[in-house]
Every structure is written in structure tokens, then in C-alpha cells.
């Protein structure tokens, strides 16, 4: 039992085990009960499931407050809770860009909606592992070299400025290096085989049964590769908010968990969020600037977490509302 109270990366082991247990339970429930059979998810079901995941994430923030308060006191507990919510909202907003790219990937590989959820679910499992590795590496670097936070800050500011002025260029999924690599090292079937990632087929020359990947597996690989690209922006953004590894990881994963449900609600109307990218660009610039403000203007004092959450939430909400207002006639025009 002493093992459970041991400190790991600034947080007791039982904190980590409780969170990972929650993630495993949610994933098992989703895969084994909600979607035991492959079927197309409707917008109504998608919105309900998205609301469920968001509710779990918000409730988890309350749990973080009580547990961190018990361990470190009310002031630190409230501070870390605000940082958890800030990280969660940033990651949730950034996931809308993921949704656009995921839709493009499924279109490229001709994946029908009823098989998309399975690919997304296993993709999220891969994301949980890959982001855990990235965050662990980031935490180790920050602990050894504090100055790397300044590098993260400059990177975020530069990324935000680039997002403000860069022209939109669609991703070339068909020529993705991961797709080319898999196609070189193993056979890939030209057609889907229902929900299967791999199938055994007779070799055209020898007649022996050989293993071959399906387009659904290629889509799964590309989804994970693309998430790593997005994580290059999102992981430094959360480290710029807090260096508490538990808060960094949980806020990141809680936002990603609901991505697969949110996808089906937003995939058909992602074009309505065109102007959100400008709000996200401003959020990245703001988060990056906070480090310099805290260290060189506030004399090392922390940037007020409530103000940080308010600015982040306000920018994201403003971007969503402005996008919906500016594009309110597009759906009507498309159906006329």
C-alpha cells in the first residue's frame, strides 16, 4: 500500500492509477458496450456522447481540486484546477482542426461512416500512449533545463503568428510518408474488408495465405501520425500553462478522449468554424507571452490563473460564435 502513496512526477501514484483506470473504463465501455457492432453514428448520438465526455472532464477537474487541495492546500489546489481547465479548453479547441484533417483522411481512403468510429477509437488509444511519451519527455526536459520553457514560448508565439497569416493548404494524404512506408514493407488490399485492419489473402504467385493491411489500417496509421504533428503545438502550449505533469497529461487526454464522439457531430459542419483558427492563433500567442510576462514583468510571480482561463475561454468562444455568425448562410446556400 505504501507504493500507492509514493510520489511520481510530483503526484502520488494512486492519482495516476485512478486516472488511468478511468480512461480504461471509458474506453472499454465505449468499445465493448456502446459500439459493439459497427454502425454509423448519428449527429444526435454524437452530441449526447460528446456532452457525456465533456461532463466527465469537467467533473474530473472538481476531483483534481479536492485532491490537490488535500495534498498542497487550497491556494495551490485552486491554481492547478484553473490550469487543468485552461489546458482542457485549449486542447478541445485545437481538436477541431484535427476533425477537419481526420475527415480528409477518411475521404481519401474511402472509409464509410459505419467503420470510422472503430478507426477513431483505436486511433485515440494510440494517441493516449504517444502523447504520454511526448509529455514524459517534455517534463524531463523542463525539469533539467528550465530555459526550454522560453523555447516553447517563442515556438508558440511563432506558430500563432504563422496561423494568423498562413494560407490554407489541404494535406496531401495520399503521398503521406507513413502510407508509402507501409505500402513498401507489406501488402495492402485495394478494398476494405469490413471493420478489419488486417486480412489473410492468397498470394498471386505462390498461392500461400499472406497477411495484408487494409485501407482502414492505413487510415488509422495516418490519424496517429497527424496527431503527433498537432501535438507539437498542443503539448508545448500546456507546458507553458503549467509544468505539473499530472495536469498536463490529464487535461490533454481528457480533451482527446471525446474527440471521436465530437467528430461525427462536427465533421459535416467543420467549415462553419473557419474563423476559429484565428482565435486559436491568438490563444497560442497569449499562452506563449505569459511566460515572459510572468518572469520579466511580474518579477517571477505567477500569471493569475483565473485571468488566464478567462482570456483563453473568451478567445475560443469568441472565435466559435464569430465563425457561426459569418458562415450562417453557407448551409442554406449549399442546399438551394
Amino acid at each position: 500500500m505504501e507504493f500507492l502513496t509514493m510520489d511520481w512526477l510530483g503526484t502520488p501514484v494512486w492519482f495516476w492509477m485512478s486516472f488511468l483506470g478511468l480512461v480504461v473504463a471509458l474506453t472499454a465501455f465505449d468499445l465493448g458496450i456502446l459500439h459493439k457492432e459497427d454502425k454509423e453514428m448519428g449527429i444526435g448520438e454524437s452530441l449526447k456522447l460528446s456532452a457525456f465526455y465533456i461532463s466527465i472532464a469537467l467533473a474530473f477537474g472538481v476531483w483534481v481540486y479536492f485532491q490537490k487541495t488535500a495534498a498542497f492546500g487550497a491556494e495551490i489546489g485552486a491554481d492547478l484546477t484553473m490550469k487543468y481547465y485552461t489546458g482542457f479548453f485549449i486542447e478541445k479547441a485545437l481538436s477541431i482542426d484535427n476533425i477537419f484533417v481526420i475527415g480528409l483522411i477518411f475521404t481519401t481512403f474511402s472509409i464509410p461512416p459505419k467503420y470510422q468510429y472503430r478507426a477513431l477509437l483505436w486511433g485515440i488509444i494510440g494517441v493516449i500512449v504517444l502523447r504520454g511519451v511526448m509529455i514524459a519527455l517534455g517534463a524531463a526536459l523542463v525539469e533539467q533545463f528550465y530555459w526550454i520553457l522560453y523555447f516553447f514560448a517563442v515556438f508558440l508565439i511563432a506558430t500563432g503568428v504563422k496561423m494568423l497569416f498562413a494560407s490554407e493548404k489541404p494535406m496531401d494524404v495520399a503521398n503521406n510518408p507513413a502510407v508509402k512506408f507501409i505500402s513498401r514493407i507489406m501488402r495492402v488490399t485495394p478494398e476494405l474488408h469490413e471493420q478489419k485492419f488486417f486480412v489473410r489473402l492468397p498470394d498471386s504467385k505462390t498461392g500461400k495465405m499472406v497477411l495484408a493491411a487494409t485501407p482502414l489500417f492505413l487510415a488509422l496509421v495516418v490519424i496517429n501520425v497527424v496527431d503527433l504533428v498537432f501535438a507539437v503545438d498542443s503539448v508545448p502550449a500546456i507546458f507553458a500553462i503549467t509544468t505539473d505533469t499530472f495536469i498536463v497529461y490529464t487535461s490533454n487526454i481528457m480533451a482527446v478522449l471525446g474527440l471521436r464522439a465530437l467528430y461525427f457531430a462536427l465533421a459535416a459542419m467543420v467549415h462553419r468554424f473557419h474563423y476559429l483558427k484565428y482565435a486559436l492563433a491568438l490563444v497560442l500567442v497569449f499562452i506563449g507571452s505569459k511566460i515572459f510576462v510572468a518572469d520579466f514583468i511580474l518579477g517571477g510571480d505567477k500569471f493569475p490563473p483565473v485571468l488566464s482561463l478567462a482570456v483563453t475561454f473568451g478567445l475560443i468562444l469568441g472565435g466559435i460564435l464569430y465563425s457561426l455568425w459569418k458562415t450562417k448562410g453557407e448551409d442554406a446556400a449549399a442546399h438551394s
Side-chain angles (χ1 to χ4, degrees), residues 109 173-184 188 218-219 221-222:
F109 292 109
V173 178
N175 291 316
N176 185 281
V179 173
K180 291 184 176 181
F181 177 73
I182 293 173
S183 300
R184 282 200 303 268
V188 178
L218 292 183
V221 171
V222 176

Side-chain angles (χ1 to χ4, degrees), residues 210-223:
V210 294
L211 189 67
T214 69
L216 190 62
F217 177 72
L218 292 183
L220 173 64
V221 171
V222 176
I223 286 172

Side-chain angles (χ1 to χ4, degrees), residues 10-309:
T11 301
V13 170
W14 77 270
F15 269 44
W16 289 99
M17 293 184 68
S18 297
F19 174 71
L20 293 176
L22 175 63
V23 171
V24 170
L26 288 172
T27 304
F29 177 73
D30 203 339
L31 184 62
I33 298 177
L34 291 181
H35 296 88
K36 204 168 186 178
E37 298 179 358
D38 291 301
K39 62 177 182 178
E40 183 174 349
M41 181 184 287
I43 292 179
E45 182 183 0
S46 176
L47 289 174
K48 290 177 182 177
L49 196 54
S50 296
F52 169 74
Y53 276 109
I54 291 173
S55 298
I56 293 291
L58 296 178
F60 185 79
V62 176
W63 184 83
V64 167
Y65 171 74
F66 285 110
Q67 298 304 324
K68 291 291 187 180
T69 296
F72 305 112
E75 184 178 352
I76 294 178
D79 176 70
L80 290 175
T81 302
M82 289 297 168
K83 289 174 177 177
Y84 164 81
Y85 283 127
T86 302
F88 172 76
F89 286 124
I90 290 175
E91 193 62 40
K92 204 68 178 174
L94 287 171
S95 68
I96 293 179
D97 275 351
N98 291 44
I99 287 171
F100 173 78
V101 176
I102 289 171
L104 179 62
I105 292 169
F106 284 144
T107 300
T108 300
F109 292 109
S110 302
I111 309 298
K114 70 176 183 176
Y115 300 137
Q116 290 176 5
Y117 197 90
R118 182 173 291 271
L120 280 171
L121 182 58
W122 286 105
I124 294 302
I125 293 173
V127 166
I128 290 172
V129 175
L130 292 173
R131 292 212 179 186
V133 172
M134 290 187 68
I135 289 171
L137 290 174
L141 287 172
V142 170
E143 185 176 357
Q144 292 295 320
F145 310 103
Y146 178 82
W147 56 263
I148 204 168
L149 286 178
Y150 298 128
F151 172 79
F152 285 166
V154 171
F155 176 77
L156 291 175
I157 294 171
T159 302
V161 172
K162 182 180 177 181
M163 285 177 65
L164 283 172
F165 299 103
S167 58
E168 296 187 6
K169 185 179 179 181
M171 178 178 290
D172 188 1
V173 178
N175 291 316
N176 185 281
V179 173
K180 291 184 176 181
F181 177 73
I182 293 173
S183 300
R184 282 200 303 268
I185 65 173
M186 70 182 304
R187 294 172 175 82
V188 178
T189 65
E191 69 285 327
L192 285 172
H193 289 262
E194 297 182 335
Q195 82 283 5
K196 296 177 181 177
F197 292 118
F198 297 97
V199 291
R200 287 193 173 276
L201 299 172
D203 185 87
S204 58
K205 296 180 180 178
T206 65
K208 294 182 178 180
M209 300 299 288
V210 294
L211 189 67
T214 69
L216 190 62
F217 177 72
L218 292 183
L220 173 64
V221 171
V222 176
I223 286 172
N224 278 277
V225 170
V226 167
D227 182 77
L228 281 177
V229 174
F230 278 102
V232 171
D233 291 338
S234 63
V235 170
I238 297 182
F239 269 113
I241 295 168
T242 177
T243 56
D244 186 301
T245 311
F246 183 77
I247 299 299
V248 171
Y249 186 67
T250 55
S251 61
N252 210 286
I253 298 306
M254 276 299 188
V256 171
L257 271 178
L259 175 61
R260 59 188 182 274
L262 190 63
Y263 168 78
F264 292 94
L266 296 184
M269 55 180 293
V270 72
H271 62 283
R272 296 288 308 276
F273 297 94
H274 173 75
Y275 295 96
L276 177 60
K277 77 166 191 173
Y278 300 109
L280 291 175
L282 293 176
V283 168
L284 293 180
V285 172
F286 168 68
I287 295 299
S289 301
K290 279 200 322 171
I291 294 178
F292 295 107
V293 171
D295 285 1
F296 299 110
I297 296 179
L298 300 180
D301 291 339
K302 292 183 296 184
F303 194 94
V306 175
L307 178 59
S308 178
L309 176 60

